[in-house]
Structures are given as structure tokens and as C-alpha cells.
Amino acid sequence: SQDFVGTWDGSSALYNLTIDGNGGTKIFRQNMLIEGDLDVTVSDTFTSKVNTETLTVNGDVTVSGILGAATQTGAYSFGSLTIAGTFEATSGTTTLNGNLVNNGTFTHNSGTTTFATAGGKSITGSSTTAFYDFIVNQVGSGLDIVTDLTIEHNLTTLSGTFRVQPDNKGSE
């Protein structure tokens, strides 16, 4: 495995980060801020060392390998999230400020997923997504559901609407 050691916030934030080490696990040891995008490529895993670190990506996250782990408790915050591999959500709170496209595996780990931003966003993809606690906080807009999903515990709408749209099969 390889470790990312250092202070990764404020003026020390990374801009764009691609985890592409031809397999293996890459570990961040402290809270990490990425001002651009994060891409975790096929055969790679990106996770934290102690499990309480936060991961904030102000851009988009693309996961073709594995991001996170079942033991993660620190908060995650992303722009959009596109999953083609496996995303292991934190048992704390994962906040999405953009769209979710799930064509892989989303594991909720009994955590909270919040969609929080202005402007309409959507959940799409070919894979069914199971959430544990689900919060809609779409100021002045709504969240469109264009795929199958399951909410296993609580659905909370703080702002905006939760709209189920016809999917590509034409069912509602």
C-alpha cells in the first residue's frame, strides 16, 4: 500500500487526483481536500488510515476501482459521484452536491446520504442503489430519481422536492 501523508486542506489542497497505481491500496492519513476531481481507476483502492478522516472533493468523483471501506466513519463530501466499481460510503454522512450515477456497487454502511445544493440534480444508472438514511436538501429545486432505489431507514426532505421520474424502461 501507499500512504498520502501531510496536511491536505486550505492552501495545501490537491487540485485533481487520479489513483492509478496498477492495483493496490492507497491510504490518506489525514483529512483531505481536493479542489478538483478524484478518479479511482480499476484495480485500485483509496481509503483512509484511521477511518475517521474526512474526504472533501469539490469536483467530480469517478470510481472504477474501490473508494472507502466498511469501517469509515469520517464525513465525505463530493460534487457529482459516478460509480462503475465499488463505493463504500461512510457510516457517518456522505454529502453529494451533484448527480449520482450508479453503474456499479454503492454500499451505504448504515450511513446518511445527503443531496445538498441548488439546481436540479438526479440519481441515475443501471444498478439499484440502496440508501440507509436519505436527506434531500435541494434549495429551490428538486432531486429526480431516474433509476431503482431503496431507502432502508429514513427519508427526510428539508428543502426541494423528491421526484420519481420514468426510467429508461418507461415505468414509474
Side-chain angles (χ1 to χ4, degrees):
S1 72
Q2 296 174 325
D3 290 7
F4 287 83
V5 180
T7 302
W8 306 104
D9 58 12
S11 63
S12 299
L14 300 175
Y15 184 66
N16 287 324
L17 179 62
T18 298
I19 304 298
D20 184 9
N22 298 319
T25 300
K26 294 9 171 224
I27 298 168
F28 59 98
R29 296 173 142 251
Q30 296 179 357
N31 297 341
M32 181 174 271
L33 170 63
I34 301 170
E35 290 288 355
D37 300 333
L38 170 64
D39 185 9
V40 181
T41 62
V42 174
S43 302
D44 286 300
T45 299
F46 191 52
T47 189
S48 71
K49 178 75 173 174
V50 183
N51 303 321
T52 58
E53 293 88 358
T54 62
L55 176 60
T56 302
V57 181
N58 289 334
D60 299 324
V61 175
T62 302
V63 181
S64 299
I66 300 170
L67 175 59
T71 56
Q72 302 287 289
T73 60
Y76 290 163
S77 179
F78 306 145
S80 292
L81 174 61
T82 301
I83 305 166
T86 300
F87 174 64
E88 292 269 354
T90 175
S91 61
T93 299
T94 299
T95 301
L96 296 175
N97 295 299
N99 299 315
L100 170 63
V101 179
N102 184 10
N103 294 317
T105 302
F106 178 101
T107 305
H108 63 62
N109 290 317
S110 300
T112 299
T113 303
T114 300
F115 281 83
T117 190
K121 302 300 177 212
S122 64
I123 300 174
T124 63
S126 60
S127 299
T128 299
T129 305
F131 298 99
Y132 188 71
D133 288 331
F134 189 89
I135 297 174
V136 178
N137 192 11
Q138 299 277 246
V139 178
S141 63
L143 177 63
D144 292 329
I145 311 304
V146 192
T147 189
D148 294 335
L149 66 82
T150 303
I151 299 169
E152 296 182 358
H153 194 237
N154 290 319
L155 166 62
T156 304
T157 302
L158 299 175
S159 179
T161 57
F162 181 82
R163 300 182 299 238
V164 177
Q165 302 292 326
D167 65 14
N168 57 6
K169 299 174 194 145
S171 62
E172 293 187 21

